[in-house]
Amino acid sequence: MEISPPQQAADHAGTDRAVRHRTLDLDGVRVFYREAGPPDGPVLLLPHGYPCSSYEFRDLMPALADRWRTVAPDLPGFGYSGTPGPATFDYSFDGYAGFLDAFCTRLGLDRYALYLHDYGSQIGLRLAIRAPRRVAALIIQNGDIYEDELGPKYEGLRAYWKNPTPEGRAVLENAVTEEGFREEFLNDVRDELAERIPPELWTVAWAQLRTPERRGVMVGLMEGLRENLDWFPRYQAYLREHRPPALIAWGPQDGYMPEGAARAYLRDLPDAELHLLDGGHWLLETNLDEVVELARDFLGRVHGTS
């Protein structure tokens, strides 16, 4: 169902909203993560997208930290986490779901709302399938799981999946560049919205991902999106079977995931709350206040106590 935004939630003066920047060793891998909010608060787990890191949640986390414990790890190969060799870490969507499962176990996160965005939607839903009883709710923001609604920017990838030539792989490699990252972050939004997207997003991402090892991981994940399509029916079946409370906050100015990709969720979650905002793929840069307002209202109703 599509509904109007709630009124702005009142701020809570005097609360500690600071984001902590932490590291841990997880099976020999250095894991960097951000955490904010009360240690005993209801948890919001924030797996990030491509080509970003936990940095994408830097402003959302303190906005919710008066009431919710927000936790955002950098996936191995991204951000400030380590990059173990492929012999010791599975750089696939399933491998990342296993990592996220182990990370949650390490921190004692046994009940959480999941924020599903970009690659984080694929990883988060695989985690949900592994442990459905842990999932209190979903916030879905530009995360595609319906093949018939993929946007036009997928055409190049589709062509490569059908005919994976060395020349086609070179195109993928050329996307893992600073200019390629700039295109990922600006991604079809109107000029006045593009002005709200800071260049630090692509310059920092490029500085973190420019090594040969990490560039190889990024290209491998783009290739792995083909296998991920086979998981789409499994994601949809999970939603139909478990019907978690869901908020869909979507930016339709998105060449990969247009408006139809958001509405498609209502096929399997007819009671989900759908909000189409005036933005694109990176709503937390262009429409942060609206997302915070929606998230606070939604989480307060479905995941307000630990």
Side-chain angles (χ1 to χ4, degrees), residues 181-306:
F181 291 170
R182 179 180 182 274
E183 170 64 20
E184 289 292 330
F185 284 112
L186 295 180
N187 188 2
D188 292 352
V189 296
R190 298 194 319 276
D191 288 346
E192 61 267 32
L193 290 176
E195 291 177 350
R196 303 181 192 177
I197 299 177
E200 291 89 341
L201 284 172
W202 56 86
T203 57
V204 169
W206 174 237
Q208 292 177 329
L209 299 177
R210 66 189 300 171
T211 66
E213 295 80 10
R214 287 192 162 192
R215 292 188 71 198
V217 169
M218 299 306 114
V219 173
L221 286 170
M222 284 189 273
E223 293 178 310
L225 285 169
R226 172 63 189 88
E227 178 267 342
N228 193 57
L229 293 180
D230 297 334
W231 276 75
F232 281 11
R234 298 176 67 176
Y235 301 151
Q236 295 158 20
Y238 160 79
L239 297 177
R240 286 194 303 273
E241 179 181 353
H242 294 282
R243 295 290 183 92
L247 166 69
I248 305 169
W250 204 276
Q253 297 172 46
D254 185 341
Y256 291 103
M257 306 166 203
E259 179 177 330
R263 293 192 180 277
Y265 276 93
L266 299 180
R267 302 173 191 172
D268 300 304
L269 289 174
D271 296 325
E273 304 172 20
L274 171 62
H275 301 267
L276 298 171
L277 306 183
D278 183 20
H281 192 76
W282 300 92
L283 282 180
L284 298 183
E285 304 300 329
T286 59
N287 302 72
L288 175 68
D289 290 346
E290 292 173 275
V291 175
V292 168
E293 185 178 341
L294 291 168
R296 290 188 65 89
D297 175 74
F298 172 71
L299 291 173
R301 287 183 280 115
V302 303
H303 190 45
T305 57
S306 58

Side-chain angles (χ1 to χ4, degrees), residues 43-46 111-115 134-138 299 303:
V43 175
L44 175 61
L45 183 61
L46 300 155
R111 183 75 170 164
Y112 40 73
L114 269 169
Y115 194 102
R134 296 183 191 170
V135 179
L138 302 177
L299 291 173
H303 190 45

Side-chain angles (χ1 to χ4, degrees), residues 89-100 123 126 130:
F89 187 83
D90 177 11
Y91 289 104
S92 69
F93 291 102
D94 215 34
Y96 279 123
F99 159 80
L100 199 57
I123 297 163
R126 292 189 191 214
R130 286 172 177 241

